[in-house]
Amino acid sequence: MALRPVKFCLICLLTLGTALSGCARPAEDTSSAPGSLSSSSGSGGSTAWSATSAASSGTAAESTAGTEDASVPGTTASTTQGGGGTGTTAAPTPAESPIRSVALNTQKAGPYQLVEATVTLRDAYDNPFDTDEVTLDADIVTPSGKTVTVPGFAMKAVSVPDSVTWEKEPAGAAAIAKGEETWKVRFSWGEAGSYRMTLRLTDRTGIHRKEGPSFTVSGGRAKSWQNGPIEKSPASPGYFRYRDTRKDFMPVGYALPWSWPQSYADYAQNIRTLADNGGNFTRVWGNGLEQTLGLETASLGVGRYNQFHAAVQEKILDALREREVAVEYCFDSFTSLQESAQWYGEWQNNPYNAKNGGPLTTTKAFFTKDEAKKLFRDRLRYTVARYGWDANIVMWEMWNEIDGQMDRRNGRVSQSRRSLLPAGFRQLRQARGGGLL
């Protein structure tokens, strides 16, 4: 495979940085639709936690449950005196919480190691990726008292052996059937001390909360990604440093947006070659249809995320983190919206294309039609929810070479592009606690 040098658009990065500043959403704000990044097993066993739900507060809009709920009585009797004599009235039975239980992969994590909560919900949803139907979030209180809102996500466990190729998708691996999903919340942080979490489920029945288990973060920082997010050096703004340890970060590497042949073995070999020759940085694509690992595919349609592709992306990110090759994650490429085959156009395969059952008849409408913008924000949320915990992802890129598709003189399109950023990246900014973007 020919190696392509990584290319950066400084204007794009500066635009993203400006758009993201001040985007963090207070945890108490439940009006915004909440969406994180990579999968790996945590150390230690699985710590289960559940509690009896609290009594209904009298409104259908919200229910709460927590560790204290175990003391809430089920049914009690009281004696009343009325005109007809003495009678017994039963107190109402507390309503069942739709958040049934929470299990952590570990209660003791090192700095920026994965803390993963597996959440069991009472109900199944027609489309667990649709934020109009359901969202799951965790409000996590850090040792210093800061509350961080981390989006949750639904997934299907898919085995990805080292020999896998994605030209031949395993039968049944892509779609999630109703009731088949597993709900997760993934988090990592560098501050030492004890953390508390509260789960928050929002669906058409209202807002429901349940206290989750506590966990601690402690230990050393043996891996480069444990140094924290990167930032511009205050002393030398042309250079990067790690925020927590203030060590220098000098990125050296090239882009790995796709693999030929389309196999994990080929991708893994490229990662090894890069790391063995002193490389510490690369760029991967999260959707560009050209690499055939897009989360949204024509076979499933918009708003449904290919779980096989998501699992392959996860495995690639795991390998990069293991070799300490930092990642710039690019959400999409101009090729997804390009019609010309001369420029690697994939519009004919894009699930947003009306010919494939999507909502759009033109490519420019991707940035201007409300339905398309909502669908794209949902995908950003899911990506951040599934992979965003990973501190080895040090940069985020909205589009690869978008100037190859959109007319810069089209002010309406440019303005619509900017309008996507705060809503799409709010959870990313909140979940990662800073970083370059």
Side-chain angles (χ1 to χ4, degrees):
M1 183 189 82
L3 302 181
R4 296 177 57 189
V6 63
K7 295 190 293 183
F8 300 98
C9 175
L10 294 179
I11 296 176
C12 292
L13 290 177
L14 291 174
T15 302
L16 284 176
T18 303
L20 287 171
S21 61
C23 283
R25 174 172 54 87
E28 297 77 23
D29 178 13
T30 59
S31 61
S32 299
S36 210
L37 262 161
S38 156
S39 166
S40 70
S41 300
S43 59
S46 176
T47 305
W49 182 95
S50 64
T52 308
S53 61
S56 170
S57 62
T59 172
E62 184 168 345
S63 66
T64 60
T67 54
E68 300 86 352
D69 297 336
S71 64
V72 176
T75 303
T76 58
S78 61
T79 302
T80 60
Q81 185 79 33
T86 302
T88 301
T89 302
T93 300
E96 179 190 10
S97 171
I99 306 175
R100 286 183 167 169
S101 65
V102 186
L104 289 185
N105 66 324
T106 182
Q107 287 187 305
K108 295 181 180 180
Y112 298 104
Q113 289 181 342
L114 173 64
V115 176
E116 180 180 83
T118 301
V119 184
T120 303
L121 301 183
R122 179 191 63 196
D123 301 321
Y125 299 90
D126 290 329
N127 184 1
F129 311 126
D130 183 356
T131 58
D132 286 342
E133 185 173 356
V134 58
T135 58
L136 177 70
D137 298 272
D139 297 324
I140 299 177
V141 181
T142 68
S144 58
K146 179 179 180 179
T147 300
V148 181
T149 297
V150 181
F153 66 99
M155 67 172 287
K156 175 182 179 179
V158 176
S159 176
V160 183
D162 290 352
S163 59
V164 72
T165 66
W166 41 95
E167 289 177 311
K168 296 180 180 180
E169 187 176 281
I176 290 183
K178 185 175 180 179
E180 189 180 28
E181 68 271 13
T182 299
W183 287 90
K184 303 282 188 178
V185 174
R186 290 173 174 167
F187 177 76
S188 70
W189 212 255
E191 184 181 0
S194 180
Y195 294 73
R196 308 189 315 272
M197 72 163 61
T198 300
L199 280 298
R200 174 161 40 88
L201 175 70
T202 305
D203 60 16
R204 292 190 173 104
T205 68
I207 302 171
H208 312 276
R209 291 183 172 86
K210 181 187 283 289
E211 281 189 38
S214 60
F215 59 93
T216 60
V217 171
S218 62
R221 300 172 184 259
K223 299 288 189 177
S224 60
W225 46 264
Q226 291 186 297
N227 289 309
I230 66 167
E231 62 183 7
K232 290 187 294 184
S233 171
S236 301
Y239 294 87
F240 299 128
R241 73 175 189 182
Y242 290 103
R243 186 192 64 187
D244 292 8
T245 62
R246 300 186 180 182
K247 293 181 179 179
D248 292 335
F249 173 71
M250 178 67 73
V252 177
Y254 48 79
L256 291 173
W258 61 78
S259 170
W260 300 108
Q262 296 169 341
S263 69
Y264 174 76
D266 184 69
Y267 230 121
Q269 180 58 53
N270 275 283
I271 293 170
R272 288 192 295 270
T273 300
L274 175 60
D276 289 346
N277 287 278
N280 66 352
F281 180 76
T282 190
R283 181 179 70 151
V284 300
W285 286 7
N287 197 61
L289 299 176
E290 181 178 298
Q291 70 162 161
T292 70
L293 279 180
L295 295 183
E296 289 180 299
T297 58
S299 61
L300 294 179
V302 291
R304 302 273 182 175
Y305 306 137
N306 188 306
Q307 295 301 290
F308 171 64
H309 290 180
V312 174
Q313 286 194 38
E314 217 157 53
K315 189 175 180 72
I316 291 170
L317 291 168
D318 287 348
L320 288 163
R321 185 174 61 258
E322 177 64 26
R323 295 304 303 264
E324 298 183 62
V325 176
V327 175
E328 175 186 347
Y329 188 100
C330 179
F331 284 102
D332 218 319
S333 172
F334 79 96
T335 55
S336 299
L337 300 177
Q338 177 59 250
E339 298 177 74
S340 172
Q342 179 183 359
W343 296 101
Y344 313 104
E346 291 284 346
W347 176 242
Q348 69 274 14
N349 299 321
N350 196 315
Y352 285 77
N353 190 332
K355 293 180 179 179
N356 298 321
L360 305 180
T361 57
T362 68
T363 58
K364 286 187 177 182
F366 183 91
F367 294 101
T368 58
K369 189 170 183 177
D370 288 342
E371 181 181 1
K373 290 193 287 186
K374 188 267 181 188
L375 287 164
F376 186 62
R377 289 187 183 114
D378 280 0
R379 172 151 54 93
L380 290 183
R381 171 189 165 89
Y382 186 84
T383 304
V384 170
R386 186 154 182 167
Y387 309 131
W389 72 272
D390 190 352
N392 194 53
I393 299 175
V394 297
M395 297 182 187
W396 303 86
E397 183 181 2
M398 192 74 162
W399 288 88
N400 168 62
E401 300 176 18
I402 192 59
D403 55 339
Q405 168 59 20
M406 308 310 298
D407 186 346
R408 297 184 191 182
R409 296 168 296 180
N410 190 327
R412 182 182 177 191
V413 169
S414 298
Q415 183 61 39
S416 297
R417 279 174 52 201
R418 288 194 294 271
S419 73
L420 286 173
L421 294 176
F425 280 86
R426 181 183 296 117
Q427 292 81 25
L428 169 61
R429 183 69 170 179
Q430 185 84 332
R432 284 290 352 123
L436 178 65
L437 300 184

